[in-house]
Amino acid sequence: MTPQEVVEAYGVRLRPIRTGDTADVVDGCADPVSQRFVSNLPAPYTDVDARWWIEVGAPAAWTGGGAAYAIADPATDRMLGAVGLNNPVSARGQAEIGYWVRPAARGRGVATAATRALSDHAFAAGTARLELLTEPENASSQRVALAAGYRYEGSRRSAGSGRGGDRHDLLAWVRLADDPPGPTARLLPDLPGGLLTDGVVTVRRLAPDDAELMFRLHSRPEVVANQAPPVPPTRDATERRCLLAESAWLTGVIARLLIVDAASGEPAGSCGMSITDAASGEASVGYALLPDWRGRGYATRAVRLLAAWAFGSTGIARVTAGTVPDNTASHRVLERVGFQREGLQRGRLPGLDGTRLDDLTFALLPTDLR
């Protein structure tokens, strides 16, 4: 690849960056979203910074064996963003791919198109492996990675640095030269229309704004007593869990959902499903309700909705639930859905002060669902 090359594919043009792009570079890099997720951007970002990048930063990427392209509209040649390759390791045939998009061009598939175009071009030039690193809370970039054929590979511990010098983990998404172009199949697909409902109960993905409610629910003594270990969550941990709910869903770790009264829109509780054994198609569910909504069948309805979605959309063949042996209310919920008791696993779960808790296990097959 050379700085003079123009790549046109997937509805975008990748071309050299020019001095005439200065205003568009400022528009994209001074934006709060870019400032939040690109830690090495000056703040505030000015014309001086843009000209330095155009005249020095971008050419240095090429000199170092990487690439720096403007993403342009093929009809107007106006800059929509930028995409490039950095941190090349020639001995491994590896590089990192990154991008930013101007605010006015977001939501149109520009980042995905540019990532696919540059990935294809890099592979054709001999690159074997591309990494796309994202902040854990940047679900939009994670969706771009998936749409462009990248697969979640794991967490890069302490690979990112904040403006204050603090270190944090980044998520690694990888595409190999012989991988299909995408989109990548997900263990946990999105809910149809963003929610599940039976007209009485609605469930939808947990969001950052749900943190206060989740902290109040999961700090209740009776809820804490029925989890392992029975330790109440911290407020910070709850906020972080809600902030990363979409990322946990996209990476296939767990689907965390809010249970809502369909008529009033009032939150009633939470539920979730985690993939416990992807190879064998097994998942596990959990749930909790606020006191005012208990005894109305809401947990049963929510678990039934979640199980039906799992069997119909995710390829899951078996759903399990572990319970404290004396939690009879939870047992009744599971049995009404169709779960069957499978056995008591003695001392399976951690308790307090080094103790162990028994786990009464239930399981549901598609033919059991009521």
Side-chain angles (χ1 to χ4, degrees), residues 161-179:
S161 60
R163 295 190 182 279
D166 60 304
R167 308 293 301 183
H168 58 273
D169 297 348
L170 296 176
L171 304 185
W173 306 81
V174 174
R175 183 175 162 192
L176 305 181
D178 56 357
D179 281 343

Side-chain angles (χ1 to χ4, degrees), residues 192-284:
L195 54 83
L196 303 171
T197 187
D198 62 3
V200 176
V201 163
T202 296
V203 296
R204 52 98 170 149
R205 190 181 67 238
L206 211 59
D209 290 345
D210 299 320
E212 179 58 35
L213 175 74
M214 288 298 98
F215 180 71
R216 179 158 50 92
L217 169 62
H218 291 280
S219 297
R220 295 192 60 83
E222 72 278 13
V223 175
V224 173
N226 288 311
Q227 64 186 26
V231 177
T234 65
R235 187 176 296 272
D236 286 348
T238 304
E239 290 176 354
R240 187 72 176 161
R241 177 175 293 183
C242 292
L243 180 66
L244 299 182
E246 185 172 2
S247 177
W249 197 304
L250 293 173
T251 55
V253 174
I254 186 171
R256 291 192 171 100
L257 303 107
L258 191 72
I259 303 172
V260 179
D261 175 57
S264 66
E266 288 294 316
S270 70
C271 61
M273 186 181 76
S274 58
I275 305 297
T276 50
D277 189 336
S280 64
E282 182 174 284
S284 177

Side-chain angles (χ1 to χ4, degrees), residues 26-38 41 80 99-111 140:
V26 174
D27 181 45
C29 293
D31 174 71
V33 173
S34 296
Q35 289 284 315
R36 179 183 178 191
F37 292 121
V38 185
L41 288 178
L80 304 175
Y99 55 84
W100 56 262
V101 176
R102 291 176 47 222
R106 293 174 191 155
R108 293 159 41 185
V110 169
S140 295

Side-chain angles (χ1 to χ4, degrees), residues 107-187:
R108 293 159 41 185
V110 169
T112 298
T115 300
R116 293 180 69 191
L118 183 52
S119 299
D120 290 355
H121 190 55
F123 290 140
T127 300
R129 170 187 166 92
L130 289 173
E131 288 191 352
L132 197 166
L133 301 180
T134 70
E135 300 284 342
E137 59 268 34
N138 191 353
S140 295
S141 272
Q142 294 165 36
R143 288 185 179 275
V144 168
L146 288 161
Y150 285 69
R151 302 181 190 180
Y152 176 61
E153 194 170 79
S155 179
R156 295 286 183 271
R157 296 173 59 208
S158 201
S161 60
R163 295 190 182 279
D166 60 304
R167 308 293 301 183
H168 58 273
D169 297 348
L170 296 176
L171 304 185
W173 306 81
V174 174
R175 183 175 162 192
L176 305 181
D178 56 357
D179 281 343
T184 300
R186 288 165 47 191
L187 291 175

Side-chain angles (χ1 to χ4, degrees), residues 198 200-201 203 259 270-271 285 287-289 293-308 328-339 364 369-370:
D198 62 3
V200 176
V201 163
V203 296
I259 303 172
S270 70
C271 61
V285 296
Y287 44 87
L289 288 180
W293 298 96
R294 295 171 190 164
R296 307 187 189 190
Y298 277 43
T300 300
R301 289 177 177 273
V303 173
R304 184 182 294 121
L305 285 168
L306 192 54
T328 56
S330 185
H331 304 164
R332 286 194 294 269
V333 167
L334 295 170
E335 289 166 348
R336 283 194 292 265
V337 175
F339 282 78
L364 181 77
L369 185 62
R370 296 176 184 171

